[in-house]
């Protein structure tokens, strides 16, 4: 995973007018490989991998240890917030699990549902309230924005209302960005 991560960081720092990031990643990846990895890529049928996502998944499936992949998938699927963990910290941790195992096989909706079920009930209530009653009815992009807003707000630190009415508090979470 380290090779992929470093490669992506390098390539995504390059800006070429009219050239997509996906194209750069696909075209330059073979030059980042050596030895067994380069041989593996050369033996694939030409044109069988057309996107960076497909190349990355094929690479990880071939070189990533199955036990490690299963361990990370399990961390994602059984995710829970510890009693003393801050909301922002668990959100960062959850995103790291996804980054460390990009071939996990879960949809975005499944991941958001797992995260929601794994956080403390107070945060579930805050996310539900900011979603007009049901967080799980949000589109993934909207749900992610709500989580990011809650993670960045002052509210999660102690979930103290400080004399504010609940609707005002959730409006702040909803429209923080």
């Amino acid at each position: 995973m380290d090779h992929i991560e470093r490669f992506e960081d390098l390539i995504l720092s390059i800006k070429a007018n009219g050239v997509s990031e996906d194209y750069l990643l696909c075209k330059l990846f073979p030059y980042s490989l050596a030895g067994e990895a380069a041989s593996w890529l050369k033996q694939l049928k030409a044109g069988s991998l057309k996107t960076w996502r497909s190349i990355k998944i094929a690479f990880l499936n071939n070189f990533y240890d199955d036990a490690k992949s299963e361990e990370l998938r399990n961390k994602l699927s059984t995710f829970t917030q510890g009693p003393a963990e801050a909301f922002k910290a668990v959100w960062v941790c959850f995103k790291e699990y996804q980054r460390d195992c990009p071939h996990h096989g879960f949809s975005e909706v499944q991941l958001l549902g797992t995260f929601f079920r794994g956080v403390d009930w107070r945060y579930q209530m805050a996310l539900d309230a900011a979603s007009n009653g049901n967080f799980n009815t949000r589109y993934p992009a909207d749900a992610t924005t709500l989580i990011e807003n809650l993670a960045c707000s002052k509210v999660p630190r102690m979930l103290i209302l400080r004399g504010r009415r609940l609707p005002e508090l959730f409006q702040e979470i909803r429209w923080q960005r």
Side-chain angles (χ1 to χ4, degrees), residues 66-165:
D66 287 342
K68 182 70 172 169
S69 293
E70 189 56 36
E71 176 189 333
L72 287 169
R73 275 191 211 97
N74 193 42
K75 282 183 178 181
L76 277 169
S77 66
T78 61
F79 174 81
T80 56
Q81 180 178 10
E85 285 183 293
F87 184 79
K88 185 173 187 170
V90 296
W91 177 237
V92 168
C93 179
F94 191 75
K95 291 189 299 184
E96 285 174 0
Y97 290 160
Q98 292 175 65
R99 188 199 71 229
D100 290 346
C101 189
H103 55 298
H104 50 68
F106 299 114
S107 72
E108 198 173 356
V109 171
Q110 290 171 315
L111 288 169
L112 288 165
T114 300
F115 178 79
F116 178 79
R117 288 186 302 278
V119 297
D120 182 272
W121 65 270
R122 291 170 291 194
Y123 299 115
Q124 289 179 1
M125 286 181 60
L127 289 168
D128 272 341
S131 302
N132 295 323
N134 190 348
F135 175 77
N136 292 316
T137 61
R138 289 289 203 186
Y139 287 109
D142 294 339
T144 301
T145 299
L146 283 176
I147 292 169
E148 293 282 347
N149 287 346
L150 183 58
C152 293
S153 76
K154 296 172 189 161
V155 176
R157 293 195 182 100
M158 294 189 295
L159 272 176
I160 293 176
L161 301 180
R162 296 186 183 156
R164 293 155 87 189
R165 292 182 18 213

Side-chain angles (χ1 to χ4, degrees), residues 15-102:
K15 301 293 178 213
N17 284 340
V19 180
S20 73
E21 290 174 347
D22 194 70
Y23 181 82
L24 287 173
L25 289 162
C26 292
K27 289 299 180 186
L28 298 177
F29 185 63
Y31 300 103
S32 74
L33 302 176
E36 184 184 348
S39 296
W40 164 81
L41 189 62
K42 286 178 186 171
Q43 61 85 28
L44 293 174
K45 182 181 172 188
S48 62
L49 303 173
K50 297 178 191 278
T51 65
W52 172 241
R53 178 171 162 64
S54 64
I55 292 170
K56 183 176 178 177
I57 289 171
F59 181 83
L60 291 171
N61 284 337
N62 193 70
F63 291 103
Y64 212 72
D65 179 75
D66 287 342
K68 182 70 172 169
S69 293
E70 189 56 36
E71 176 189 333
L72 287 169
R73 275 191 211 97
N74 193 42
K75 282 183 178 181
L76 277 169
S77 66
T78 61
F79 174 81
T80 56
Q81 180 178 10
E85 285 183 293
F87 184 79
K88 185 173 187 170
V90 296
W91 177 237
V92 168
C93 179
F94 191 75
K95 291 189 299 184
E96 285 174 0
Y97 290 160
Q98 292 175 65
R99 188 199 71 229
D100 290 346
C101 189

